[in-house]
Amino acid sequence: HDPTSRLHHGVTCFGSPAVQPTQLCNSPSDSDFEKPRAVQDRTVDPNRYNIPLEEAAELWTASVQESNNADRKAGVPYLSAKSKDYFVDDIPSVAVSRNGGLGLELLELAGGRDDGIGITIVSGVTKGGNAEKAGILPGDSIAAVSVYETESSSDSKGSFGLVEETKSRVRDCECRDFDNTIDALANFPGDDADTVYLDIKRMRRWPKVQVQVEYPPAQCAEGVDNVRKIELFAGENLKRALQNRGIIMDDPGAPKCDYCGSNACYVSISKGKALLNPMGTTEEKLMKLNKDCRLSCKTTVGYNMQEGDLKLRVNLSQW
């Protein structure tokens, strides 16, 4: 083991002599899609998009945003990915037994600030240990530690005897340095806590969909291929994604879409329908006689974190 390692309640901690000072980055502007979210009818196990420790360690960064929103406050650091090809997924409340130790190793990637801000990740889990059994992976980062405590008290009316009440305590450790993370894991729970509940941040590869777009030959100059191949991220809105990749959607002969007002919203899907979100009631009625068609403004590609191949035609009245 590294001579600088320390052991706390089964957490082996490695200080890094090459640790970099933490620099906070401004968060990127809003994109046209959201990261894949867990839904009841998920069709893909998100763990297929996990990445190795070495790759994750290169991608973690700490960001802040300038204004408040529903998810977080301005100026509060949060973990994000350096590349748009990856995203940070939330895995809340992972129960890990402390009986025999947590069985994980931590590595500080960035720190050295007086305010304790940094980046600390799991660098290893003990085979057969509690962290591995709970599903924690090397490359994960711990965002919060919670413990639940049951307290007994006498009923105020004296008629029901003892009353038990469960209370929780939470220590936030997202974007914290080595020492703060260790304190949250080893000292904050106290000696009586048999189990800790960890909020995990996991770096994952963003699933992608390979799309073949066909133009009407009449809209292409002589000798110009009417087929374009592009790559879309799972979760993108189909219409905006096509336009952002330079696909020209212009179909004067088609009726205007009731939703977006475009005359080129309709597309025909010949491959990969299962990669798209289900139709809403209104779209389903509109497409009753055109089962292969979708309103691109109401269509999401890579539904439920799916990857695969999609083939479609645009500007349908020009065919």
Side-chain angles (χ1 to χ4, degrees), residues 214-260:
E214 295 183 9
Y215 284 106
Q219 289 188 323
C220 301
E222 186 176 350
V224 175
D225 191 357
N226 72 319
V227 175
R228 275 200 57 191
K229 294 183 178 180
I230 58 177
E231 185 177 71
L232 306 184
F233 290 98
E236 284 197 83
N237 174 271
L238 179 58
K239 181 183 177 183
R240 289 195 296 267
L242 293 174
Q243 292 174 328
N244 288 341
R245 282 11 176 243
I247 300 300
I248 299 172
M249 302 178 75
D250 182 23
D251 194 2
K256 289 187 177 181
C257 173
D258 292 337
Y259 291 102
C260 66

Side-chain angles (χ1 to χ4, degrees), residues 85-152:
D85 293 318
Y86 300 83
F87 72 100
V88 178
D89 208 357
D90 297 305
I91 307 173
S93 198
V94 177
V96 185
S97 172
R98 300 177 85 205
N99 185 21
L102 295 178
L104 56 79
E105 299 171 358
L106 297 181
L107 177 67
E108 183 183 74
L109 298 178
R113 292 170 54 115
D114 293 337
D115 57 9
I117 293 174
I119 301 174
T120 304
I121 66 171
V122 176
S123 59
V125 293
T126 303
K127 186 173 179 59
N130 290 323
E132 185 188 56
K133 291 177 181 177
I136 294 175
L137 301 176
D140 288 349
S141 187
I142 299 168
V145 180
S146 301
V147 293
Y148 294 88
E149 300 164 332
T150 301
E151 297 180 356
S152 299

Side-chain angles (χ1 to χ4, degrees), residues 3-299:
T4 63
S5 68
R6 291 174 281 171
L7 187 66
H8 299 264
H9 287 269
V11 184
T12 309
C13 320
F14 295 92
S16 172
V19 68
Q20 298 297 315
T22 306
Q23 297 183 351
L24 299 180
C25 306
N26 288 327
S27 60
S29 59
D30 290 339
S31 61
D32 286 325
F33 55 97
E34 298 181 346
K35 73 179 184 180
R37 297 180 182 275
V39 293
Q40 289 183 346
D41 58 344
R42 183 195 292 275
T43 57
V44 175
D45 180 0
N47 284 317
R48 70 183 298 176
Y49 304 122
N50 294 342
I51 61 175
L53 166 65
E54 295 76 13
E55 191 175 355
E58 295 294 325
L59 290 165
W60 286 111
T61 189
S63 300
V64 294
Q65 58 188 34
E66 297 180 354
S67 57
N68 296 333
N69 65 17
D71 294 326
R72 58 178 61 90
K73 294 181 179 179
V76 177
Y78 65 94
L79 289 168
S80 59
K82 293 179 182 178
S83 168
K84 68 178 183 179
D85 293 318
Y86 300 83
F87 72 100
V88 178
D89 208 357
D90 297 305
I91 307 173
S93 198
V94 177
V96 185
S97 172
R98 300 177 85 205
N99 185 21
L102 295 178
L104 56 79
E105 299 171 358
L106 297 181
L107 177 67
E108 183 183 74
L109 298 178
R113 292 170 54 115
D114 293 337
D115 57 9
I117 293 174
I119 301 174
T120 304
I121 66 171
V122 176
S123 59
V125 293
T126 303
K127 186 173 179 59
N130 290 323
E132 185 188 56
K133 291 177 181 177
I136 294 175
L137 301 176
D140 288 349
S141 187
I142 299 168
V145 180
S146 301
V147 293
Y148 294 88
E149 300 164 332
T150 301
E151 297 180 356
S152 299
S153 60
S154 298
D155 178 56
S156 59
K157 297 181 180 180
S159 57
F160 296 103
L162 294 178
V163 176
E164 290 189 344
E165 182 180 4
T166 300
K167 297 182 179 180
S168 64
R169 295 186 291 117
V170 182
R171 172 71 65 84
D172 179 44
C173 51
E174 182 174 358
C175 290
R176 307 304 294 176
D177 62 15
F178 177 85
D179 290 333
N180 278 277
T181 304
I182 288 302
D183 185 62
L185 285 168
N187 300 323
F188 167 72
D191 294 333
D192 295 332
D194 296 325
T195 302
V196 290
Y197 295 83
L198 308 182
D199 288 354
I200 300 296
K201 301 284 186 178
R202 180 167 296 168
M203 189 71 68
R204 284 180 166 140
R205 175 179 63 82
W206 208 308
K208 297 176 182 178
V209 176
Q210 308 303 318
V211 184
Q212 179 175 303
V213 181
E214 295 183 9
Y215 284 106
Q219 289 188 323
C220 301
E222 186 176 350
V224 175
D225 191 357
N226 72 319
V227 175
R228 275 200 57 191
K229 294 183 178 180
I230 58 177
E231 185 177 71
L232 306 184
F233 290 98
E236 284 197 83
N237 174 271
L238 179 58
K239 181 183 177 183
R240 289 195 296 267
L242 293 174
Q243 292 174 328
N244 288 341
R245 282 11 176 243
I247 300 300
I248 299 172
M249 302 178 75
D250 182 23
D251 194 2
K256 289 187 177 181
C257 173
D258 292 337
Y259 291 102
C260 66
S262 168
N263 62 358
C265 183
Y266 294 83
V267 295
S268 177
I269 311 296
S270 58
K271 181 181 180 181
K273 292 179 186 177
L275 299 175
L276 309 177
N277 62 306
M279 291 186 186
T281 303
T282 303
E283 185 182 6
E284 204 168 36
K285 290 179 179 179
L286 287 172
M287 302 305 177
K288 188 175 181 180
L289 300 178
N290 299 284
K291 299 293 186 180
D292 294 332
C293 292
R294 292 295 304 260
L295 296 176
S296 61
C297 72
K298 288 295 182 180
T299 301

